[in-house]
């Protein structure tokens, strides 16, 4: 059992950190002994007989003076630590030390150690770490990471550092990894429905933009080697077809929702639909740009969305003002509830509009989950994590972070990558997921596989890669449900002899969870067939070597 000492202002970050780590812990009680004691905030450790004490603090502490360890640099933010194949940006206070001993993290520039092993009076090991873990969790889950650190799953790395310290000390550790039983990770395919038909855009900015990019940009794309002649041909044919689309003679080539149901390979996907047309919404007291307004209403596509629902796909709210305005949010949510007949609705905001108060607004509205936290200009981990998490200021709403968005990868003015460059970035995200578990949330817009974007081949490759690497393809709603069950799992309910984990809900057919046990010489283990999906009630147990394997 891990005991935690932290300041009250860090309590919600501590609780969420251990929901993501999912290992037994409690806030430190003075009358109890712990195998591992974690001291954050000011690093004051109660007298303890713990085998391992980890002291996290980004400022100089009495323990440093006591051990004669000099602080070599002290700063707020602007530091990257590296070690064990990881790069971890530190956003709060941090210090480095003058110490020659072994350390697991060093300042990337100065190479000074950011950790050291201190002498302990009681015989246990004390490891001093030069930043505050829970202050970092606060920053990641509230403000998020800047774009330049998008590719770093910082929160997963923080978990990994702590796990390595515990496991390498030979202390037994149980955890329920964020990995559905029988798979390596979750691939969540989502589609923001912004432009389900080009015929709704006659002589507007969207139509002229389409013509310009289809005729001119794709020609330059071919000349610069960024697009193929076949793409140019397809786009020019689409331009010639356009009048016939407007006349209703030719098929509307932006109407691609049914194509996605075939591409998404039998898994369930999620489609976020805009409730009302012609409403740009507002931000910071001002009207949003007029071209944020949609050319369609959810009611216009009700027939096709109901068909998608009947095939098992999910329809969510692509919110206009729901992120900041409760009365408008209620109207938007009610419209999607009316059309879908579903009570539990998830959201993603159009243009990813969101701020720190949005989780509380959405929770008040009764939204089931949100999936807006991501970047418009980058792919990766805004909140530093591939796991579904609970924003720190709400009680029930969960956030499914968005990791890979088509427009962020390819649009000029955003990352503007070639398919090869984009593949590298996306593969790294999938590789992190196979290593740490969690979910890769993908947003491929409705029109992105159609002219003039034609990002179909890349999307198909991405799906193949996920399939090959062992993904469970799940809708956003099912992904969130799976994480809710993991959050509900209690270690007290664990019956290791029977290899069973009790869950409060048992009705849903979702993959199970498994227990990973490190340094478990004394525990009875049930090594079920890991490749087989288990029923929701069974918990497989997996023994892990005394040394933790990364990758
Ligand atoms: Zn949108």
């Amino acid at each position: 059992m891990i005991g935690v000492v932290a300041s009250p202002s860090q309590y919600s970050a501590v609780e969420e950190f251990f929901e993501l780590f999912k290992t037994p812990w409690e806030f430190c009680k003075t009358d109890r002994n712990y195998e591992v004691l974690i001291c954050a905030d000011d690093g004051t450790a109660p007298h303890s007989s713990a085998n391992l004490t980890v002291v996290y603090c980004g400022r100089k502490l009495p323990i440093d003076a006591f051990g004669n360890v000099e602080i070599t640099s002290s700063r707020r933010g602007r530091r990257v630590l590296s070690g064990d194949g990881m790069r971890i940006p530190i956003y709060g206070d941090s210090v480095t030390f003058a110490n020659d001993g072994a350390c697991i993290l060093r300042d990337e520039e100065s190479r000074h150690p950011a950790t050291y092993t201190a002498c302990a009076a009681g015989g246990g090991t004390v490891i001093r770490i030069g930043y505050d873990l829970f202050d970092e969790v606060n920053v990641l889950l509230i403000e998020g990471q800047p774009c330049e650190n998008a590719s770093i799953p910082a929160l997963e790395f923080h978990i990994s550092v702590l796990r390595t310290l515990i496991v390498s000390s030979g202390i037994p550790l149980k955890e329920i990894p964020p990995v559905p039983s029988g798979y390596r990770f979750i691939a969540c395919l989502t589609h923001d429905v912004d432009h389900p038909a080009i015929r709704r855009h006659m002589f507007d900015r969207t139509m002229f933009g389409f013509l310009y990019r289809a005729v001119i940009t794709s020609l330059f794309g071919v000349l610069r080697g960024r697009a193929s002649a076949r793409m140019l041909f397809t786009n020019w044919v689409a331009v010639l077809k356009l009048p016939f689309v407007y006349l209703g003679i030719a098929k509307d080539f932006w109407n691609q929702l049914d194509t996605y149901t075939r591409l998404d390979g039998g898994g369930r996907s999620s489609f976020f639909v805009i409730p009302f047309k012609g409403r740009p919404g507002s931000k910071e007291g001002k009207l949003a740009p007029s071209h944020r307004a949609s050319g369609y209403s959810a009611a216009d596509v009700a027939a096709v969305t109901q068909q998608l629902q009947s095939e098992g796909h999910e329809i969510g709210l692509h919110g206009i003002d729901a992120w900041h305005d409760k009365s408008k949010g209620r109207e938007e949510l009610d419209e999607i509830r009316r059309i879908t007949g579903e009570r539990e609705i998830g959201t993603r905001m159009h243009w990813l509009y969101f701020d720190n108060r949005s989780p509380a607004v959405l929770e008040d509205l009764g939204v089931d989950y949100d999936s807006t936290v991501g970047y418009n200009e980058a792919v990766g981990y805004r909140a530093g994590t591939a796991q579904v998490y609970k924003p720190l200021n709400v009680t029930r709403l969960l956030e499914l972070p968005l990791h890979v968005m088509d427009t962020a990868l390819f649009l000029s003015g955003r990352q503007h990558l070639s398919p090869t460059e984009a593949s590298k970035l996306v593969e790294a995200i999938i590789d992190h997921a196979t290593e740490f578990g969690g979910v890769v949330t993908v947003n491929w817009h409705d029109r992105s596989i159609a002219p003039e974007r034609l990002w179909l081949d890349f999307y198909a490759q991405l799906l193949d890669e996920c399939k090959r690497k062992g993904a469970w393809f799940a809708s956003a709603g099912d992904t969130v449900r799976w994480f809710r069950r993991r959050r509900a799992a209690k270690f007290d309910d664990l019956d290791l002899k029977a290899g069973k984990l009790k869950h409060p809900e048992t009705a849903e057919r979702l993959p199970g969870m498994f227990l990973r046990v490190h340094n478990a010489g004394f525990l009875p283990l049930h090594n079920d067939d890991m490749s087989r999906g288990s029923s929701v009630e069974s918990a497989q147990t997996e023994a892990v070597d005394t040394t933790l394997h990364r990758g």
Side-chain angles (χ1 to χ4, degrees):
M1 171 74 95
I2 299 173
V4 178
V5 181
S7 79
S9 66
Q10 295 177 316
Y11 282 2
S12 54
V14 174
E15 284 162 349
E16 192 51 28
F17 176 82
F18 283 101
E19 278 300 348
L20 303 182
F21 194 166
K22 202 66 192 175
T23 188
W25 75 284
E26 65 182 24
F27 284 115
C28 190
K29 295 179 183 141
T30 46
D31 58 341
R32 282 196 69 165
N33 288 326
Y34 298 96
E35 287 161 317
V36 178
L37 188 68
I38 294 171
C39 301
D41 189 28
D42 63 357
T44 318
H47 181 74
S48 127
S49 57
N51 295 335
L52 173 67
T53 303
V54 186
V55 179
Y56 283 101
C57 182
R59 298 178 302 278
K60 189 176 168 71
L61 291 177
I63 186 182
D64 305 322
F66 181 73
N68 262 335
V69 177
E70 198 190 316
I71 302 285
T72 52
S73 83
S74 173
R75 64 176 79 148
R76 170 162 278 263
R78 307 185 320 280
R79 196 196 294 278
V80 176
L81 303 179
S82 62
D84 199 18
M86 298 177 283
R87 293 180 73 241
I88 310 182
I90 301 298
Y91 299 105
D93 291 333
S94 65
V95 288
T96 54
F97 308 104
N99 195 282
D100 297 332
C103 82
I104 59 164
L105 291 172
R106 286 176 186 275
D107 183 288
E108 193 172 60
E109 282 171 14
S110 70
R111 305 304 299 153
H112 289 162
T115 73
Y116 69 88
T117 305
C119 302
T125 306
V126 176
I127 295 177
R128 168 80 168 97
I129 300 197
Y131 60 86
D132 193 313
L133 172 63
F134 304 116
D135 286 353
E136 293 303 310
V137 174
N138 258 321
V139 172
L140 291 170
L141 296 189
I142 294 174
E143 290 154 45
Q145 306 196 96
C147 262
E148 65 261 30
N149 292 333
S151 64
I152 305 176
L155 198 32
E156 257 69 60
F157 285 165
H158 283 300
I159 293 171
S160 180
V161 167
L162 181 57
R163 181 192 294 115
T164 302
L165 292 175
I166 296 170
V167 171
S168 61
S169 299
I171 297 165
L173 180 75
K174 291 183 276 196
E175 58 178 325
I176 300 172
V179 179
S181 184
Y183 301 91
R184 302 286 297 276
F185 66 100
I186 303 171
C188 177
L189 306 178
T190 70
H191 308 289
D192 288 359
V193 180
D194 288 352
H195 302 93
I198 195 168
R199 65 183 169 77
R200 295 185 185 279
H201 300 275
M202 209 187 285
F203 303 117
D204 69 356
R205 179 191 167 108
T206 303
M207 186 200 82
F208 289 116
F210 162 75
L211 289 176
Y212 180 81
R213 288 186 300 269
V215 176
I216 310 290
T217 312
S218 26
L219 177 62
F220 280 106
V222 173
L223 296 176
R224 289 181 187 137
R226 292 181 70 97
S228 65
R230 180 173 58 91
M231 288 166 88
L232 179 68
F233 178 75
T234 308
N235 279 343
W236 284 11
V237 169
V239 169
L240 295 174
K241 256 196 215 162
L242 192 56
F244 302 99
V245 173
Y246 288 142
L247 289 169
I249 302 167
K251 180 187 185 283
D252 193 318
F253 45 82
W254 277 8
N255 178 358
Q256 293 287 351
L257 298 187
D258 55 339
T259 316
Y260 275 116
T261 65
R262 287 196 299 277
L263 279 173
D264 291 356
R268 295 165 174 223
S269 313
S270 298
F271 295 82
F272 293 99
V273 177
I274 295 178
F276 305 113
K277 73 172 161 195
R279 297 190 189 179
S282 63
K283 191 178 193 179
E284 286 151 11
K286 283 186 280 193
L287 217 54
S290 59
H291 61 286
R292 187 172 180 255
S294 159
Y296 81 100
S297 292
D300 298 332
V301 294
V304 62
T305 55
Q306 280 155 8
Q307 175 64 30
L308 292 171
Q309 280 180 282
S310 72
E311 293 167 19
H313 301 286
E314 176 193 15
I315 306 301
L317 164 65
H318 202 28
I320 304 166
D321 281 314
W323 61 283
H324 71 125
D325 184 320
K326 255 186 243 174
S327 75
K328 287 181 180 157
R330 187 155 297 118
E331 197 189 350
E332 293 176 14
L333 197 61
D334 284 348
E335 179 66 356
I336 301 300
R337 282 180 174 149
R338 185 182 72 78
I339 285 166
T340 59
E342 294 284 342
R343 183 83 207 143
E344 297 272 282
I345 298 288
T347 60
R348 177 179 296 135
M349 299 305 136
H350 188 38
W351 289 21
L352 307 188
Y353 276 22
F354 214 66
D355 67 22
N356 288 342
R357 287 157 301 176
S358 300
V361 173
L362 294 172
E363 177 162 275
D364 275 0
L365 288 172
V367 166
D368 181 41
Y369 69 85
D370 175 74
S371 182
T372 306
V373 175
Y375 302 98
N376 277 311
E377 310 81 8
V379 297
Y381 310 92
R382 187 173 200 124
T385 183
Q387 296 197 46
V388 171
Y389 66 91
K390 185 171 74 62
L392 300 183
N393 54 347
V394 296
T395 54
R396 187 177 186 277
L397 181 93
L398 295 184
E399 179 67 33
L400 166 68
L402 169 61
H403 303 109
V404 177
M405 183 156 79
D406 50 4
T407 45
L409 287 169
F410 297 125
L411 283 190
S412 67
R414 310 246 179 122
Q415 286 190 290
H416 200 211
L417 303 174
S418 70
T420 315
E421 293 163 329
S423 285
K424 267 190 210 150
L425 278 188
V426 173
E427 263 173 46
I429 290 172
I430 296 172
D431 287 345
H432 280 310
T434 57
E435 182 176 358
F436 297 108
V439 52
V440 176
T441 310
V442 177
N443 176 19
W444 224 252
H445 285 81
D446 53 346
R447 59 179 271 212
S448 291
I449 55 176
E452 83 297 343
R453 290 180 176 168
L454 298 174
W455 299 333
L456 171 66
D457 291 351
F458 188 91
Y459 182 67
Q461 271 170 30
L462 190 164
L463 298 195
D464 279 349
E465 182 80 359
C466 288
K467 223 170 274 172
R468 206 166 56 75
K469 295 206 165 141
W472 170 46
F473 287 88
S475 66
D478 279 349
T479 303
V480 170
R481 266 185 283 282
W482 190 87
F483 273 92
R484 274 197 204 285
R485 303 171 72 77
R486 176 169 172 259
R487 296 174 76 89
K490 298 269 184 292
F491 286 92
D492 296 346
D493 293 344
L494 203 60
D495 181 348
L496 283 167
K497 278 197 184 127
K500 290 244 176 184
L501 193 58
K502 293 176 215 155
H503 299 297
E505 310 159 65
T506 54
E508 293 157 308
R509 301 296 303 170
L510 297 174
M513 289 170 265
F514 61 90
L515 180 72
R516 184 170 283 163
V517 187
H518 309 263
N519 298 329
F522 62 95
L523 289 172
L525 295 176
H526 297 261
N527 288 300
D528 292 352
D529 178 8
M530 288 295 295
S531 64
R532 179 163 44 85
S534 69
S535 77
V536 284
E537 281 177 300
S538 84
Q540 298 162 342
T541 311
E542 175 197 37
V544 179
D545 249 345
T546 47
T547 45
L548 185 75
H549 295 293
R550 300 191 63 246

